[in-house]
Every structure is written in structure tokens, then in C-alpha cells.
Amino acid sequence: MTKRIQMHFAFLLSVLLTPFLALGQTAQTDSARLALHIRSYLNTPAETPLGITAKVKATISHDGTVRTAAINQSSGNSQYDRAVLAAIWRANPWPYRSSQELDQTVEIEFRN
């Protein structure tokens, strides 16, 4: 199996399994749902190693508008980290709604 096919397989597997891994925990379910939405905007660089993880901390308003976004834990690959952050901004506004007027901070993990 070529590296490119392995990357696509790992991506598809993570997309398919993410909702099931987060069952039963509301915060994780919201985070998984957001990660799936954002992942559709992620353009992973071709040479990105498999198995790396980046964690992003973002602040969003009650209507889903992204206020801030930053890498909370780097993957160790600056190209992948930049691609994740770019996807967060391209996915703006997020499909998130809150009855609270206050901004909410979420942490989302992206694994290649």
C-alpha cells in the first residue's frame, strides 16, 4: 500500500470512527462533531507523516463565529499545524449554537 493510500485510509477511518468514540459524553460529542465539520476544510500537506496529532484551542461565539484559534499542542510538523489552523478559519462559522451569550472555548484534536 502506498503512503498516499495509507494516509487516505487513516483519514477515512478517523472520520468514520470519531462519532462513535465520543458517544456518551456531550462535550466530546460536540468536539467530535466540530472536528468532522472542520476536517472537511482540511487540506493536509502531501508529505505529512501518519500518526501525528495537533490540538487546537478555539473560542467561538454563541452563533458559531470563530473568535480566536491557536495551536494548543503542536503536532511537531509546522505544515500540518498551519493546515489545521487554516481549516478552522475556512470552516467559519461553525455549526454550533449556544443559548448563552458568552463565548465558549473548545479544544479539538486532529490526528493524521
Side-chain angles (χ1 to χ4, degrees):
M1 202 183 300
T2 68
K3 185 169 180 119
R4 187 108 177 127
I5 293 172
Q6 288 175 335
M7 287 173 49
H8 287 291
F9 179 75
F11 169 74
L12 290 173
L13 189 60
S14 69
V15 168
L16 293 172
L17 293 180
T18 299
F20 299 105
L21 296 175
L23 286 176
Q25 297 178 341
T26 305
Q28 285 186 344
T29 303
D30 289 343
S31 181
R33 200 173 305 129
L34 289 173
L36 284 173
H37 171 72
I38 296 164
R39 215 176 253 292
S40 67
Y41 292 88
L42 180 60
N43 297 322
T44 304
E47 300 300 317
T48 304
L50 293 176
I52 62 173
T53 301
K55 290 184 181 178
V56 176
K57 188 178 250 184
T59 305
I60 54 177
S61 67
H62 69 282
D63 66 354
T65 304
V66 178
R67 300 274 190 211
T68 64
I71 296 293
N72 198 34
Q73 179 182 332
S74 174
S75 67
N77 182 301
S78 60
Q79 288 181 323
Y80 184 67
D81 291 350
R82 284 192 305 269
V84 167
L85 280 176
I88 287 188
W89 290 106
R90 279 195 300 272
N92 192 24
W94 294 356
Y96 176 88
R97 302 291 180 263
S98 172
S99 59
Q100 299 178 14
E101 292 295 319
L102 302 174
D103 291 348
Q104 303 291 311
T105 301
V106 295
E107 185 174 271
I108 303 172
E109 182 176 297
F110 292 86
R111 184 181 311 266
N112 188 37

